[in-house]
Amino acid sequence: MSEFTIVFLLCPLMVLAASVISHAVFHKWAVMPTAVFVVFTILTFTVFNSSFFIWVMVYTVLSIIVSLLMNRRKGNPAF
């Protein structure tokens, strides 16, 4: 599998699925964005190079958006 496929397809799908599942389990919107930031930051320095940190921010924002949408869908206040 190429890096292009991993960055543009596999990682975003994993972040989306994990955000939905973690919100359903923990009922807290900030759990998965924090986990995404930590895990992908570790991957930046172990697997990828430092330019991948831009994607860490993108995936974290994606996770925040999905988590807040799930929170809003249940009628909970955002914060």
Side-chain angles (χ1 to χ4, degrees):
M1 188 175 295
S2 70
E3 290 180 9
F4 182 81
T5 306
I6 292 171
V7 170
F8 286 112
L9 185 65
L10 187 63
C11 288
L13 289 176
M14 288 184 345
V15 167
L16 287 172
S19 295
V20 170
I21 292 168
S22 73
H23 189 274
V25 171
F26 298 115
H27 303 289
K28 303 270 187 217
W29 73 270
V31 172
M32 198 58 207
T34 305
V36 164
F37 181 77
V38 169
V39 168
F40 279 109
T41 300
I42 292 169
L43 287 175
T44 296
F45 296 111
T46 58
V47 177
F48 302 107
N49 57 17
S50 61
S51 66
F52 186 75
F53 195 71
I54 295 168
W55 290 106
V56 172
M57 294 299 152
V58 171
Y59 298 146
T60 303
V61 169
L62 177 66
S63 182
I64 289 171
I65 291 169
V66 170
S67 295
L68 288 177
L69 285 174
M70 292 290 295
N71 204 33
R72 199 158 190 61
R73 184 173 174 239
K74 294 180 99 172
N76 298 333
F79 294 101

Coordinates of all heavy atoms in Angstrom, one line a residue:
M1 N 0.8 -1.2 0.0 CA 0.0 0.0 0.0 C 0.9 1.2 0.0 O 1.8 1.3 0.8 CB -0.9 0.0 1.2 CG -1.9 1.0 1.2 SD -3.1 0.9 2.6 CE -3.9 -0.6 2.3
S2 N 0.6 2.2 -0.8 CA 1.4 3.4 -1.0 C 1.1 4.4 0.2 O 0.1 4.3 0.8 CB 1.2 4.1 -2.3 OG -0.1 4.6 -2.4
E3 N 2.1 5.3 0.4 CA 1.9 6.3 1.4 C 0.7 7.2 1.1 O 0.0 7.7 1.9 CB 3.1 7.1 1.6 CG 4.3 6.4 2.2 CD 5.5 7.3 2.3 OE1 5.4 8.5 2.1 OE2 6.5 6.7 2.7
F4 N 0.5 7.5 -0.2 CA -0.6 8.3 -0.7 C -2.0 7.7 -0.2 O -2.8 8.4 0.3 CB -0.6 8.4 -2.2 CG -1.7 9.3 -2.8 CD1 -1.5 10.6 -2.8 CD2 -2.8 8.7 -3.3 CE1 -2.5 11.4 -3.3 CE2 -3.8 9.5 -3.9 CZ -3.6 10.9 -3.9
T5 N -2.1 6.4 -0.4 CA -3.3 5.7 0.0 C -3.5 5.7 1.5 O -4.6 5.9 2.0 CB -3.3 4.2 -0.5 OG1 -3.0 4.2 -1.9 CG2 -4.6 3.5 -0.2
I6 N -2.4 5.6 2.2 CA -2.5 5.6 3.7 C -3.0 7.0 4.2 O -3.9 7.1 5.0 CB -1.2 5.2 4.3 CG1 -0.9 3.7 4.0 CG2 -1.2 5.5 5.8 CD1 0.5 3.3 4.4
V7 N -2.3 8.0 3.7 CA -2.6 9.4 4.1 C -4.0 9.9 3.7 O -4.7 10.5 4.5 CB -1.5 10.4 3.6 CG1 -1.9 11.8 3.9 CG2 -0.2 10.0 4.3
F8 N -4.4 9.6 2.5 CA -5.7 10.1 2.0 C -6.9 9.2 2.1 O -8.0 9.7 2.0 CB -5.5 10.5 0.5 CG -4.7 11.8 0.3 CD1 -3.4 11.7 -0.3 CD2 -5.1 13.0 0.8 CE1 -2.7 12.9 -0.4 CE2 -4.4 14.2 0.6 CZ -3.2 14.1 0.0
L9 N -6.7 8.0 2.4 CA -7.8 7.1 2.5 C -7.9 6.3 3.8 O -8.9 6.4 4.5 CB -7.8 6.1 1.3 CG -9.0 5.1 1.2 CD1 -10.2 5.9 0.9 CD2 -8.7 4.1 0.1
L10 N -6.9 5.6 4.1 CA -6.9 4.8 5.3 C -7.0 5.5 6.6 O -7.8 5.3 7.5 CB -5.7 3.8 5.3 CG -5.7 2.8 6.4 CD1 -6.8 1.8 6.2 CD2 -4.4 2.0 6.3
C11 N -6.1 6.5 6.8 CA -6.1 7.3 8.1 C -7.4 8.1 8.3 O -7.9 8.0 9.4 CB -4.9 8.2 8.1 SG -3.3 7.3 8.4
P12 N -7.9 8.8 7.3 CA -9.1 9.5 7.6 C -10.3 8.6 7.9 O -11.1 8.9 8.8 CB -9.4 10.3 6.3 CG -8.1 10.4 5.6 CD -7.3 9.2 6.0
L13 N -10.4 7.4 7.2 CA -11.4 6.5 7.5 C -11.3 5.9 8.9 O -12.3 5.7 9.6 CB -11.5 5.4 6.5 CG -11.9 5.7 5.1 CD1 -11.8 4.6 4.1 CD2 -13.4 6.3 5.1
M14 N -10.1 5.6 9.3 CA -9.9 5.1 10.7 C -10.2 6.2 11.7 O -10.9 5.9 12.8 CB -8.4 4.7 10.9 CG -8.1 3.5 10.2 SD -6.4 2.8 10.4 CE -5.5 4.1 11.1
V15 N -9.9 7.5 11.5 CA -10.2 8.6 12.4 C -11.7 8.7 12.5 O -12.3 8.9 13.6 CB -9.5 9.9 11.9 CG1 -10.1 11.1 12.7 CG2 -8.0 9.8 12.2
L16 N -12.4 8.7 11.3 CA -13.9 8.8 11.4 C -14.6 7.7 12.2 O -15.4 7.9 13.0 CB -14.4 8.8 9.9 CG -14.2 10.1 9.1 CD1 -14.6 9.8 7.7 CD2 -14.9 11.3 9.7
A17 N -14.2 6.5 11.9 CA -14.8 5.3 12.6 C -14.4 5.4 14.0 O -15.3 5.1 14.9 CB -14.3 4.0 11.9
A18 N -13.2 5.6 14.4 CA -12.8 5.7 15.8 C -13.5 6.8 16.5 O -13.9 6.6 17.7 CB -11.3 5.8 15.9
S19 N -13.7 7.9 15.9 CA -14.4 9.1 16.6 C -15.9 8.7 16.8 O -16.4 9.0 17.9 CB -14.3 10.3 15.7 OG -13.0 10.7 15.6
V20 N -16.5 8.1 15.9 CA -17.9 7.7 16.1 C -18.0 6.6 17.2 O -18.9 6.8 18.1 CB -18.5 7.2 14.8 CG1 -19.9 6.6 15.0 CG2 -18.6 8.3 13.8
I21 N -17.2 5.6 17.2 CA -17.2 4.6 18.1 C -16.9 5.1 19.5 O -17.5 4.7 20.5 CB -16.3 3.4 17.7 CG1 -16.9 2.7 16.5 CG2 -16.1 2.4 18.9 CD1 -15.9 1.8 15.8
S22 N -15.8 5.9 19.6 CA -15.4 6.4 21.0 C -16.5 7.3 21.6 O -16.7 7.3 22.8 CB -14.1 7.1 20.9 OG -14.2 8.3 20.3
H23 N -17.1 8.1 20.7 CA -18.2 8.9 21.3 C -19.4 8.1 21.7 O -20.0 8.4 22.8 CB -18.7 10.0 20.2 CG -19.6 11.0 20.8 ND1 -20.9 10.8 20.9 CD2 -19.3 12.2 21.4 CE1 -21.5 11.8 21.5 NE2 -20.5 12.7 21.8
A24 N -19.7 7.0 21.0 CA -20.8 6.2 21.4 C -20.4 5.4 22.7 O -21.3 5.2 23.6 CB -21.1 5.1 20.3
V25 N -19.2 5.1 23.0 CA -18.8 4.4 24.2 C -18.6 5.3 25.3 O -19.1 5.0 26.4 CB -17.5 3.6 23.9 CG1 -16.9 3.0 25.2 CG2 -17.7 2.5 22.9
F26 N -17.9 6.4 25.2 CA -17.5 7.3 26.3 C -18.4 8.4 26.5 O -18.4 9.0 27.6 CB -16.1 7.8 26.1 CG -15.0 6.7 26.1 CD1 -14.3 6.5 24.9 CD2 -14.8 5.9 27.2 CE1 -13.3 5.5 24.9 CE2 -13.8 4.9 27.2 CZ -13.1 4.7 26.0
H27 N -19.2 8.8 25.5 CA -20.1 10.0 25.6 C -19.4 11.3 25.9 O -20.0 12.2 26.6 CB -21.3 9.7 26.6 CG -22.0 8.5 26.3 ND1 -22.9 8.4 25.2 CD2 -22.1 7.3 26.9 CE1 -23.4 7.2 25.2 NE2 -22.9 6.5 26.2
K28 N -18.2 11.4 25.6 CA -17.4 12.6 25.8 C -16.8 13.0 24.4 O -16.3 12.2 23.7 CB -16.3 12.4 26.7 CG -16.7 11.9 28.1 CD -17.0 13.0 29.0 CE -17.2 12.4 30.4 NZ -18.2 13.1 31.1
W29 N -16.9 14.2 24.0 CA -16.5 14.6 22.7 C -15.0 14.8 22.6 O -14.4 14.7 21.5 CB -17.2 15.9 22.3 CG -16.7 17.1 23.0 CD1 -17.2 17.7 24.1 CD2 -15.6 18.0 22.6 NE1 -16.5 18.8 24.5 CE2 -15.5 19.0 23.5 CE3 -14.7 18.0 21.5 CZ2 -14.5 20.0 23.5 CZ3 -13.8 18.9 21.4 CH2 -13.7 19.9 22.4
A30 N -14.3 15.0 23.7 CA -12.8 15.3 23.6 C -11.9 14.1 23.7 O -10.7 14.2 23.6 CB -12.5 16.3 24.8
V31 N -12.5 12.9 24.0 CA -11.6 11.7 24.2 C -10.9 11.4 22.9 O -9.7 11.2 22.9 CB -12.5 10.5 24.7 CG1 -11.7 9.3 24.7 CG2 -13.1 10.8 26.0
M32 N -11.6 11.2 21.8 CA -11.0 10.8 20.6 C -10.1 11.8 19.9 O -9.0 11.5 19.4 CB -12.0 10.3 19.6 CG -11.4 9.4 18.5 SD -10.6 8.0 19.3 CE -9.4 7.7 18.0
P33 N -10.4 13.1 19.9 CA -9.5 14.1 19.3 C -8.2 14.1 20.1 O -7.1 14.2 19.5 CB -10.2 15.4 19.5 CG -11.6 15.1 19.4 CD -11.7 13.7 20.1
T34 N -8.2 13.9 21.4 CA -7.0 13.9 22.2 C -6.2 12.6 21.8 O -4.9 12.7 21.6 CB -7.3 13.9 23.7 OG1 -8.1 15.0 24.0 CG2 -6.0 13.9 24.5
A35 N -6.8 11.5 21.7 CA -6.2 10.3 21.4 C -5.6 10.3 19.9 O -4.5 9.9 19.7 CB -7.1 9.1 21.5
V36 N -6.3 10.9 19.0 CA -5.8 11.1 17.6 C -4.6 11.9 17.6 O -3.6 11.5 17.0 CB -6.9 11.7 16.7 CG1 -6.3 12.2 15.4 CG2 -8.0 10.7 16.5
F37 N -4.6 13.0 18.3 CA -3.4 13.9 18.4 C -2.2 13.2 18.9 O -1.1 13.2 18.4 CB -3.7 15.1 19.2 CG -2.5 16.1 19.2 CD1 -2.2 16.9 18.1 CD2 -1.7 16.2 20.4 CE1 -1.2 17.7 18.2 CE2 -0.7 17.0 20.4 CZ -0.4 17.8 19.3
V38 N -2.4 12.5 20.0 CA -1.2 11.8 20.7 C -0.7 10.6 19.8 O 0.5 10.5 19.6 CB -1.7 11.2 22.1 CG1 -0.6 10.3 22.6 CG2 -1.9 12.4 23.0
V39 N -1.6 9.8 19.3 CA -1.2 8.6 18.5 C -0.5 9.1 17.2 O 0.6 8.6 16.8 CB -2.4 7.7 18.2 CG1 -2.0 6.7 17.1 CG2 -2.9 7.1 19.5
F40 N -1.1 10.0 16.5 CA -0.5 10.4 15.2 C 0.8 11.3 15.4 O 1.6 11.3 14.6 CB -1.5 11.2 14.4 CG -2.4 10.3 13.6 CD1 -3.8 10.2 14.0 CD2 -2.0 9.5 12.6 CE1 -4.6 9.3 13.3 CE2 -2.8 8.7 11.9 CZ -4.1 8.6 12.2
T41 N 0.9 12.0 16.6 CA 2.2 12.6 16.8 C 3.3 11.6 17.1 O 4.4 11.8 16.6 CB 2.0 13.6 18.1 OG1 1.0 14.5 17.8 CG2 3.3 14.3 18.4
I42 N 3.0 10.6 17.8 CA 4.0 9.5 18.0 C 4.3 8.9 16.6 O 5.5 8.6 16.4 CB 3.4 8.4 19.0 CG1 3.3 9.1 20.4 CG2 4.3 7.2 19.0 CD1 2.6 8.2 21.4
L43 N 3.3 8.6 15.8 CA 3.6 8.1 14.5 C 4.4 9.0 13.6 O 5.2 8.5 12.8 CB 2.3 7.7 13.8 CG 1.5 6.5 14.3 CD1 0.2 6.4 13.6 CD2 2.4 5.2 14.1
T44 N 4.3 10.3 13.8 CA 5.0 11.3 13.0 C 6.5 11.1 13.2 O 7.3 11.1 12.3 CB 4.6 12.7 13.4 OG1 3.3 12.9 13.1 CG2 5.5 13.7 12.7
F45 N 6.9 10.8 14.5 CA 8.3 10.8 14.8 C 8.9 9.3 14.7 O 10.1 9.2 14.8 CB 8.6 11.4 16.1 CG 8.3 12.9 16.1 CD1 7.2 13.4 16.9 CD2 9.0 13.8 15.4 CE1 6.9 14.7 16.8 CE2 8.7 15.1 15.3 CZ 7.7 15.6 16.1
T46 N 8.0 8.4 14.7 CA 8.5 7.0 14.6 C 8.4 6.4 13.2 O 9.3 5.7 12.8 CB 7.8 6.1 15.6 OG1 6.4 6.1 15.3 CG2 8.0 6.5 17.0
V47 N 7.3 6.6 12.5 CA 7.1 6.0 11.2 C 7.3 7.0 10.0 O 7.9 6.6 9.1 CB 5.7 5.4 11.1 CG1 5.4 4.8 9.8 CG2 5.5 4.3 12.2
F48 N 6.7 8.1 10.2 CA 6.7 9.1 9.1 C 7.8 10.1 9.4 O 8.6 10.0 10.4 CB 5.4 9.8 8.9 CG 4.2 8.9 8.7 CD1 3.3 8.6 9.6 CD2 4.1 8.3 7.4 CE1 2.3 7.7 9.4 CE2 3.1 7.4 7.1 CZ 2.2 7.1 8.1
N49 N 7.9 11.2 8.6 CA 8.9 12.3 8.9 C 8.1 13.5 9.5 O 6.9 13.5 9.6 CB 9.7 12.7 7.7 CG 8.8 13.1 6.5 OD1 7.6 13.4 6.7 ND2 9.3 13.1 5.3
S50 N 8.8 14.5 9.8 CA 8.2 15.7 10.5 C 7.2 16.4 9.7 O 6.4 17.1 10.2 CB 9.3 16.6 11.0 OG 10.1 17.1 10.0
S51 N 7.3 16.3 8.4 CA 6.3 17.0 7.5 C 4.9 16.4 7.7 O 3.9 17.0 7.3 CB 6.7 16.9 6.1 OG 6.7 15.6 5.6
F52 N 4.8 15.2 8.3 CA 3.5 14.5 8.5 C 2.7 15.2 9.6 O 1.5 15.0 9.7 CB 3.7 13.1 8.8 CG 2.4 12.3 9.0 CD1 1.8 11.9 7.8 CD2 1.9 11.9 10.2 CE1 0.6 11.1 7.9 CE2 0.8 11.2 10.3 CZ 0.1 10.8 9.2
F53 N 3.4 16.1 10.4 CA 2.7 16.8 11.5 C 1.5 17.7 11.0 O 0.6 17.9 11.7 CB 3.7 17.6 12.3 CG 3.1 18.0 13.6 CD1 2.9 17.1 14.6 CD2 2.7 19.3 13.8 CE1 2.4 17.5 15.8 CE2 2.2 19.7 15.0 CZ 2.0 18.8 16.1
I54 N 1.6 18.1 9.7 CA 0.5 18.9 9.2 C -0.8 18.0 9.1 O -1.9 18.4 9.4 CB 0.8 19.4 7.8 CG1 2.0 20.4 7.9 CG2 -0.4 20.0 7.0 CD1 2.6 20.8 6.5
W55 N -0.5 16.7 8.7 CA -1.7 15.8 8.7 C -2.2 15.4 10.1 O -3.4 15.1 10.2 CB -1.3 14.5 7.9 CG -1.1 14.8 6.4 CD1 0.1 14.9 5.8 CD2 -2.1 15.1 5.5 NE1 -0.2 15.3 4.5 CE2 -1.6 15.4 4.3 CE3 -3.5 15.2 5.6 CZ2 -2.3 15.7 3.2 CZ3 -4.3 15.5 4.5 CH2 -3.7 15.8 3.3
V56 N -1.3 15.5 11.0 CA -1.8 15.3 12.4 C -2.8 16.3 12.8 O -3.8 16.0 13.4 CB -0.6 15.3 13.4 CG1 -1.1 15.3 14.9 CG2 0.4 14.2 13.1
M57 N -2.5 17.6 12.4 CA -3.5 18.6 12.7 C -4.8 18.4 11.9 O -5.9 18.6 12.5 CB -2.9 20.0 12.3 CG -1.7 20.4 13.2 SD -2.3 20.5 14.9 CE -0.8 20.1 15.7
V58 N -4.7 18.0 10.7 CA -5.9 17.8 9.8 C -6.7 16.7 10.4 O -8.0 16.8 10.6 CB -5.5 17.5 8.4 CG1 -6.7 17.0 7.6 CG2 -4.8 18.6 7.7
Y59 N -6.1 15.6 10.8 CA -6.8 14.4 11.4 C -7.4 14.8 12.8 O -8.6 14.4 13.1 CB -6.0 13.2 11.6 CG -5.4 12.7 10.3 CD1 -4.2 12.1 10.2 CD2 -6.1 12.8 9.1 CE1 -3.7 11.6 9.0 CE2 -5.7 12.3 7.9 CZ -4.4 11.7 7.9 OH -3.9 11.2 6.7
T60 N -6.8 15.6 13.5 CA -7.3 16.1 14.8 C -8.5 16.9 14.6 O -9.5 16.8 15.3 CB -6.2 16.8 15.6 OG1 -5.1 16.0 15.8 CG2 -6.7 17.2 17.0
V61 N -8.4 17.9 13.7 CA -9.6 18.7 13.4 C -10.8 17.9 12.9 O -11.9 18.1 13.3 CB -9.2 19.8 12.4 CG1 -10.4 20.6 11.9 CG2 -8.2 20.8 13.1
L62 N -10.5 16.9 12.0 CA -11.5 16.0 11.5 C -12.2 15.3 12.7 O -13.4 15.2 12.7 CB -10.9 15.0 10.5 CG -11.9 14.0 10.0 CD1 -12.9 14.6 9.1 CD2 -11.1 13.0 9.2
S63 N -11.4 14.8 13.6 CA -11.9 14.1 14.8 C -12.8 15.0 15.6 O -13.8 14.6 16.2 CB -10.8 13.5 15.6 OG -11.3 12.8 16.6
I64 N -12.3 16.3 15.8 CA -13.1 17.2 16.6 C -14.5 17.5 15.9 O -15.5 17.5 16.6 CB -12.3 18.5 16.8 CG1 -11.1 18.3 17.7 CG2 -13.2 19.7 17.3 CD1 -10.2 19.5 17.8
I65 N -14.5 17.7 14.6 CA -15.7 18.0 13.9 C -16.7 16.8 14.0 O -17.9 17.0 14.4 CB -15.4 18.3 12.4 CG1 -14.7 19.6 12.3 CG2 -16.7 18.3 11.6 CD1 -14.2 19.9 10.9
V66 N -16.2 15.6 13.8 CA -17.1 14.4 13.9 C -17.6 14.2 15.4 O -18.8 14.0 15.6 CB -16.3 13.1 13.5 CG1 -17.1 11.9 13.8 CG2 -16.0 13.2 12.0
S67 N -16.7 14.4 16.3 CA -17.1 14.3 17.7 C -18.2 15.3 18.1 O -19.2 15.0 18.8 CB -15.9 14.4 18.7 OG -15.0 13.3 18.5
L68 N -18.0 16.5 17.7 CA -19.0 17.6 18.0 C -20.3 17.4 17.3 O -21.3 17.6 17.8 CB -18.4 19.0 17.7 CG -17.3 19.4 18.7 CD1 -16.7 20.8 18.2 CD2 -17.8 19.5 20.1
L69 N -20.2 16.9 16.1 CA -21.5 16.6 15.3 C -22.2 15.4 16.0 O -23.4 15.5 16.1 CB -21.2 16.2 13.9 CG -20.8 17.3 13.0 CD1 -20.4 16.8 11.6 CD2 -22.0 18.3 12.8
M70 N -21.5 14.4 16.5 CA -22.1 13.3 17.2 C -22.7 13.9 18.6 O -23.8 13.5 19.0 CB -21.1 12.2 17.5 CG -20.6 11.5 16.3 SD -21.9 10.4 15.6 CE -22.2 9.3 17.0
N71 N -22.0 14.8 19.2 CA -22.5 15.3 20.5 C -23.7 16.2 20.2 O -24.7 16.1 21.0 CB -21.4 16.2 21.1 CG -21.5 16.3 22.6 OD1 -22.0 15.4 23.2 ND2 -21.1 17.5 23.1
R72 N -23.7 17.0 19.1 CA -24.9 17.8 18.8 C -26.1 17.0 18.4 O -27.2 17.3 18.7 CB -24.5 18.7 17.7 CG -25.4 19.9 17.5 CD -24.6 20.9 16.8 NE -25.0 22.2 16.6 CZ -25.2 23.1 17.6 NH1 -25.2 22.8 18.8 NH2 -25.6 24.3 17.3
R73 N -25.8 15.8 17.7 CA -26.9 15.0 17.3 C -27.7 14.4 18.5 O -28.9 14.2 18.4 CB -26.3 13.8 16.5 CG -27.3 12.9 15.9 CD -26.6 11.9 14.9 NE -27.5 11.0 14.5 CZ -27.4 9.7 14.7 NH1 -26.4 9.2 15.3 NH2 -28.3 8.8 14.3
K74 N -27.0 14.2 19.6 CA -27.6 13.7 20.8 C -28.3 14.7 21.6 O -29.0 14.5 22.6 CB -26.6 12.9 21.7 CG -26.0 11.7 21.0 CD -25.1 11.1 21.9 CE -25.8 10.0 22.7 NZ -24.9 9.2 23.4
G75 N -28.2 16.0 21.2 CA -28.8 17.1 21.9 C -28.0 17.6 23.0 O -28.5 18.4 23.8
N76 N -26.8 17.2 23.2 CA -25.9 17.7 24.2 C -25.3 19.0 23.8 O -25.0 19.2 22.7 CB -24.8 16.7 24.6 CG -25.3 15.4 25.0 OD1 -26.4 15.3 25.6 ND2 -24.6 14.3 24.8
P77 N -25.0 19.9 24.8 CA -24.3 21.1 24.4 C -22.9 20.8 24.0 O -22.3 19.8 24.4 CB -24.3 21.9 25.7 CG -24.6 21.0 26.8 CD -25.4 19.9 26.2
A78 N -22.3 21.6 23.2 CA -21.0 21.3 22.6 C -19.9 21.2 23.7 O -19.0 20.4 23.6 CB -20.6 22.3 21.6
F79 N -19.9 22.0 24.7 CA -18.9 22.0 25.7 C -19.4 21.7 27.0 O -20.1 22.2 27.7 CB -18.1 23.3 25.7 CG -17.4 23.5 24.4 CD1 -17.9 24.4 23.4 CD2 -16.2 22.9 24.1 CE1 -17.3 24.6 22.2 CE2 -15.5 23.1 22.9 CZ -16.1 23.9 22.0

